[in-house]
Amino acid sequence: MRAKDLTRGSIAYHDTLNQDVWDRSELRVDVRYKLLEIAKRFVEYLDVPNFKLVDVILRGSLVNYNYTQYSDFDLHIVTDYAALDCDITEAFYLAKKKIWNNEHDITIKGHEVELYVEDKDEQNVSEGMYSVLDNTWHKRPKYQQPDIDDRAVNSKARDLMTQINRAVKTGSVEDITRLQDKIRNMRQAGLAAGGEFSTENLAFKIIRNKGYLDRLYKNKNSKFDQELSLDEGIKQNTAVAALVAALSGAPAAADFNYPNTQAQDPNVAQNALIIIRSINKMKNYGQAGLEAEARQELNNLMRSLQGMPNQSRVYPIVKDLIQNQDEQLPPLQEPVNESSAQLDPEVEDFLEGLTPDDVGVDEVGDYIVHYEGFTDQCQDSEEYQDDPEAVFNDVWSDFKRRMGDKDPINYGIVGEHDYPIVYSVFRR
C-alpha cells in the first residue's frame, strides 16, 4: 500500500446494506438468533441479580452503508443503570464488558461481535439503530454518499500514527495516557460536529483498523508493569550493569548505580533484563538440543536490537554474553549496517508516519524516499525466517538499483522492532 492510500479498505460506502447480515432491510434470521443467544449469555455472565433488560440494540457500520472488512457487530445490551442502585454502576459494566471482549473471540459472518452495556437514557449519534430484541428499526440509516476529504483524513491519520510511534518509542505512561485522551476527545468532537463521516472519526477508524490503538494500549500496560516491577538481583548483576551502561550511553567504565539510572530512564534497566532473559532462554534451548527454537529466539533478539539507542555499543556485549554462555548456540550474525547521516526534519516526520503496510516511493521536499514495510505475512516467508538481515540488504540494494545505482544519503529501519520498515533516502 502506498502512503497516500490509507483510506483504501478502511473507508467505504455502499449502495446496499451488508447482504451477509441483512435480507433487504430486515436482519437475517440466523444472524438475529445468534445475536440474541450471545446477548443472553452475556447477561448471564454479568451476574447481576434481577437484571433489567430494556433492549438489545445493534449499532455501528454494519447497521449502515459504510461497512468494511473491519466492521464489528456493536451489540448494546440496554438496561437501566439506576436499577442497580450503585455509585460505580458505569465502571462495573465497563470492566465486565472489557473482560468479556478480551476473553472471547466470537464472529458472525466473519465479523467480530463486541458487547456493550448501555444506559437506557444514554444519547447516541449512530446513524443506524436496530432492535434485535423486537426485530425492528429504531432509526433507519439514510443513503447519502458522503463527501470525504481523503487528503485531510490521510493527513490526520498519519499525524496520529506519528504521535503514537513517538509515544511508544519514548513516552511514559503519563504521555501515553494524555495521547489516548487526546484521541478520544478528538473523535468525540468530530462525531458531534460532523457525524460518522467527519475527518476525525474516519482518521480514528484508520488507526484503529491498522492496530495502532491496540499497540498503544499494550505498550502503556507494558510500561506501567515495568515501572511497578523491581528486580533486586539487578544491582549485583555485572552483565546487566554493562548493558545498562551501553543502553544509557554512560561511559564504559562508569560505576553502575541502579537508582540513578532508574530515575533517569525507567526503561533502560528493564530493557537490559529482557535481553539477559532472552539470552538465558536461548541457553536453555541449546541445552535441550532445540537448535531451531534457539535460532528463532536469537532472530527475535536481534530484531529487537534494531533501532535501539547506542546499538553499536550494545551489540558486542550481547555477542560476548551469547558466546560465553553456550558454545552450541548458532553464530551471531553481524548487525545490519545503517546510515548515521542526519535526516531533514520533514523526512523524519514522513518516516515516522509509515506503517508496516506501506510500500512505495514518495517525494518529500528535496528528497525521494523508498520504503517497504514488513507485516506478519512478509515475516512468515522462508527467506525472512532464515536470514532477515539478508532480506533487508536485498531491499536496500533494490532501492539503489531503482535509482540508477545512485547511493542514498541515508538508509535504515524505522517502526517497531517486530514490524520493521526499511527505507532509503535519495537526494533529487
Side-chain angles (χ1 to χ4, degrees):
M1 180 184 292
R2 293 291 302 274
K4 61 185 178 183
D5 292 329
L6 280 176
T7 59
R8 186 175 299 172
S10 291
I11 299 173
Y13 203 78
H14 310 269
D15 55 9
T16 63
L17 297 174
N18 189 319
Q19 295 303 290
D20 289 336
V21 179
W22 302 92
D23 183 0
R24 296 186 178 178
S25 62
E26 186 171 305
L27 196 62
R28 289 189 175 275
V29 175
D30 57 339
V31 173
R32 177 173 177 252
Y33 284 163
K34 185 58 66 176
L35 289 172
L36 287 174
E37 180 183 355
I38 294 169
K40 179 177 180 294
R41 296 291 185 90
F42 181 69
V43 170
E44 293 173 353
Y45 154 80
L46 290 175
D47 195 22
V48 175
N50 302 317
F51 182 83
K52 184 177 181 180
L53 179 64
V54 177
D55 207 342
V56 179
I57 298 291
L58 193 60
R59 302 184 188 275
S61 55
L62 283 178
V63 196
N64 206 334
Y65 299 98
N66 59 324
Y67 57 88
T68 69
Q69 59 181 323
Y70 302 107
S71 296
D72 296 331
F73 282 93
D74 293 336
L75 195 62
H76 292 245
I77 310 301
V78 183
T79 186
D80 183 2
Y81 275 21
L84 196 56
D85 191 22
C86 177
D87 292 336
I88 59 170
T89 300
E90 184 175 1
F92 169 76
Y93 283 136
L94 181 63
K96 293 287 279 189
K97 79 99 175 174
K98 281 186 176 181
I99 295 171
W100 171 277
N101 289 330
N102 287 338
E103 291 184 348
H104 296 279
D105 184 17
I106 302 172
T107 61
I108 296 178
K109 307 289 187 179
H111 298 276
E112 293 185 6
V113 180
E114 289 281 328
L115 274 296
Y116 303 84
V117 182
E118 178 182 313
D119 186 19
K120 66 181 183 63
D121 296 324
E122 181 177 332
Q123 298 296 318
N124 200 291
V125 296
S126 297
E127 295 296 324
M129 293 170 49
Y130 191 89
S131 172
V132 183
L133 193 63
D134 298 332
N135 199 28
T136 186
W137 285 98
H138 282 353
K139 182 180 180 182
R140 285 179 181 267
K142 294 180 180 179
Y143 177 80
Q144 185 175 358
Q145 188 74 31
D147 183 15
I148 299 174
D149 186 343
D150 284 354
R151 181 179 294 235
V153 174
N154 274 286
S155 176
K156 177 68 69 175
R158 289 206 171 275
D159 178 60
L160 292 173
M161 289 176 181
T162 298
Q163 293 184 55
I164 290 173
N165 283 337
R166 286 173 177 167
V168 166
K169 186 175 182 180
T170 62
S172 64
V173 171
E174 291 75 15
D175 292 334
I176 294 176
T177 301
R178 280 194 294 270
L179 181 55
Q180 287 177 316
D181 291 341
K182 176 182 176 180
I183 293 172
R184 186 183 306 109
N185 293 335
M186 174 209 72
R187 186 194 190 195
Q188 291 175 348
L191 285 169
E196 293 188 29
F197 293 99
S198 65
T199 296
E200 293 80 5
N201 187 51
L202 295 178
F204 174 88
K205 287 190 174 186
I206 289 175
I207 64 173
R208 180 191 63 190
N209 294 342
K210 290 189 171 297
Y212 274 76
L213 294 182
D214 186 56
R215 200 176 306 165
L216 191 64
Y217 172 79
K218 290 180 178 178
N219 189 266
K220 175 184 175 181
N221 287 344
S222 175
K223 290 181 183 294
F224 183 80
D225 292 345
Q226 290 174 13
E227 292 180 7
L228 291 182
S229 299
L230 177 64
D231 193 322
E232 292 295 336
I234 189 173
K235 297 180 183 180
Q236 290 78 36
N237 192 312
T238 56
V240 176
L243 282 171
V244 167
L247 287 166
S248 63
D255 292 333
F256 176 55
N257 189 320
Y258 176 74
N260 287 347
T261 303
Q262 184 74 354
Q264 294 169 2
D265 186 349
N267 296 321
V268 68
Q270 188 70 20
N271 287 338
L273 281 174
I274 291 171
I275 292 173
I276 292 296
R277 288 167 184 162
S278 185
I279 293 173
N280 287 337
K281 191 173 181 181
M282 280 188 284
K283 179 181 178 182
N284 292 334
Y285 280 144
Q287 289 175 341
L290 303 175
E291 290 82 2
E293 285 81 354
R295 185 178 295 277
Q296 182 60 49
E297 188 64 32
L298 176 60
N299 287 338
N300 292 339
L301 173 60
M302 294 310 298
R303 281 202 298 272
S304 74
L305 294 179
Q306 295 300 325
M308 185 174 284
N310 305 298
Q311 178 187 339
S312 61
R313 291 186 56 191
V314 176
Y315 177 77
I317 297 173
V318 172
K319 181 176 181 180
D320 184 60
L321 287 172
I322 291 176
Q323 291 177 339
N324 288 338
Q325 288 202 34
D326 195 334
E327 295 180 357
Q328 296 181 357
L329 285 172
L332 191 61
Q333 298 174 356
E334 291 301 314
V336 175
N337 293 318
E338 297 186 54
S339 170
S340 59
Q342 285 292 109
L343 280 173
D344 185 279
E346 186 178 5
V347 175
E348 287 186 349
D349 288 342
F350 174 82
L351 291 173
E352 288 189 1
L354 292 174
T355 77
D357 296 309
D358 289 334
V359 176
V361 55
D362 275 274
E363 296 181 358
V364 183
D366 296 329
Y367 305 92
I368 297 174
V369 183
H370 289 259
Y371 48 89
E372 180 172 342
F374 285 80
T375 60
D376 289 329
Q377 184 177 0
C378 297
Q379 296 179 41
D380 285 341
S381 68
E382 184 176 346
E383 294 84 357
Y384 192 97
Q385 291 293 325
D386 288 344
D387 193 349
E389 288 78 12
V391 174
F392 296 154
N393 284 321
D394 286 344
V395 173
W396 281 317
S397 297
D398 184 53
F399 292 161
K400 183 176 179 179
R401 178 185 58 77
R402 294 181 194 177
M403 295 297 294
D405 285 331
K406 180 180 178 181
D407 288 328
I409 65 165
N410 188 292
Y411 62 97
I413 301 171
V414 292
E416 293 188 50
H417 304 320
D418 294 337
Y419 295 97
I421 304 159
V422 179
Y423 73 88
S424 289
V425 180
F426 298 85
R427 194 178 297 279
R428 288 201 199 198

